């Protein structure tokens, strides 16, 4: 049984998808711990309700990003993680931290990468007149939202949509594809080699795979 550590900052809806998936869609892993940079993150309560170890680590107690990330890594390592999941963890991680876990840390970003890195992706897609939007699961590298993409899911943008409408559609897809990709990593079907995502021995392209 492999160990997953999940990092959250807020509501934790993707965390809930993982809680529901472990033992089911992810049969060979368990969530060993949930860690948040905010003590009032609802994601921590989701973990407590599921009888999962929780920790909060406030960045204000540390003089630099590097010192915080060192403390975070020490906490993560207590749980011997095989996979680390960023589930709405709203901190930019230092290069040393990312390098430490490279190849076993995943993030999900609410756009069809490489389009719309950063924030406010749904509104940016609407403002650009895009007819479709989506979400991307990718390996985490030091470049923000720049790691190799593994899997994407697309959703339509309709004429009178607002950002909340699009976000709801995107989030529903996130809850499906994020545990799926994590399971590939747990099952050792997925690796990162020379900055490329490799699934079942095949190098994935710039936008990874797309769900049907």
């Amino acid at each position: 049984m492999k160990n997953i550590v999940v990092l959250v900052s807020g509501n934790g809806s993707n965390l809930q998808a993982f809680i529901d998936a472990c033992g089911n869609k992810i049969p060979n892993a368990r969530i060993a711990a949930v860690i948040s940079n905010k003590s009032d993150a609802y994601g921590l309560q989701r973990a407590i309700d599921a009888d999962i170890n929780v920790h909060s680590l406030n960045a204000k107690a540390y003089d630099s990003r590097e010192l915080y990330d060192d403390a975070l890594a020490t906490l993560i390592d207590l749980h011997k993680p095989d996979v680390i999941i960023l589930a709405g963890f709203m901190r930019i991680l230092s290069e040393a931290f990312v390098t430490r876990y490279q190849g076993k840390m995943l993030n999900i970003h609410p756009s069809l990468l490489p389009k719309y890195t950063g924030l406010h992706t749904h509104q940016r897609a609407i403002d650009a007149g895009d007819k479709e939007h989506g979400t991307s699961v990718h390996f985490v590298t030091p470049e923000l939202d720049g790691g190799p993409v593994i899997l994407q899911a697309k959703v339509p943008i309709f004429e009178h949509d607002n950002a909340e409408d699009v976000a709801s559609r995107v989030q529903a897809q996130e809850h499906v594809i994020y545990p799926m990709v994590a399971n590939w990593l747990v099952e050792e079907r997925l690796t990162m080699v020379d900055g490329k995502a490799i699934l079942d021995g095949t190098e994935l392209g710039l936008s990874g795979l797309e769900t049907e």
Side-chain angles (χ1 to χ4, degrees):
M1 188 67 67
K2 293 192 175 180
N3 292 327
I4 297 173
V5 172
V6 183
L7 307 186
V8 301
S9 292
N11 179 54
S13 68
N14 271 308
L15 166 62
Q16 188 64 54
F18 274 88
I19 291 171
D20 296 341
C22 282
N24 180 17
K25 294 178 181 177
I26 310 176
N28 297 314
R30 67 184 188 100
I31 300 175
V34 173
I35 303 171
S36 179
N37 61 319
K38 296 184 177 180
S39 61
D40 61 350
Y42 184 64
L44 293 176
Q45 187 60 52
R46 292 182 188 270
I48 291 167
D49 291 344
D51 199 26
I52 296 168
N53 292 310
V54 299
H55 307 275
S56 64
L57 197 65
N58 190 332
K60 292 180 180 178
Y62 298 87
D63 291 335
S64 69
R65 184 184 308 280
E66 289 73 21
L67 287 173
Y68 178 86
D69 285 0
D70 283 347
L72 179 60
T74 298
L75 192 53
I76 289 170
D77 289 348
L78 288 175
H79 299 282
K80 298 180 171 57
D82 299 288
V83 176
I84 298 168
I85 297 296
L86 304 185
F89 190 62
M90 300 303 289
R91 282 187 59 82
I92 295 174
L93 297 164
S94 64
E95 184 171 351
F97 181 92
V98 171
T99 301
R100 181 181 188 131
Y101 299 114
Q102 199 151 283
K104 65 181 188 180
M105 184 159 56
L106 300 174
N107 186 43
I108 192 160
H109 182 74
S111 80
L112 297 173
L113 292 171
K115 294 181 74 172
Y116 308 129
T117 61
L119 301 175
H120 311 301
T121 61
H122 310 310
Q123 190 61 53
R124 288 159 65 192
I126 292 170
D127 292 346
D130 293 354
K131 300 301 182 186
E132 64 180 12
H133 190 47
T135 184
S136 307
V137 182
H138 64 94
F139 280 111
V140 179
T141 63
E143 181 186 355
L144 182 64
D145 301 326
V149 176
I150 302 154
L151 182 63
Q152 294 185 326
K154 294 180 178 179
V155 301
I157 298 178
F158 299 116
E159 183 177 356
H160 298 295
D161 275 345
N162 59 34
E164 290 73 23
D165 297 326
V166 178
S168 178
R169 245 173 258 135
V170 166
Q171 194 171 74
Q173 292 300 315
E174 288 181 349
H175 298 166
V176 174
I177 70 169
Y178 206 1
M180 183 187 306
V181 173
N183 189 54
W184 293 343
L185 197 54
V186 166
E187 299 293 343
E188 299 180 4
R189 295 176 53 196
L190 175 67
T191 58
M192 188 174 77
V193 179
D194 296 329
K196 305 290 185 181
I198 310 293
L199 180 65
D200 295 331
T202 299
E203 181 180 313
L204 304 182
L206 180 64
S207 299
L209 300 175
E210 180 183 335
T211 56
E212 297 181 358

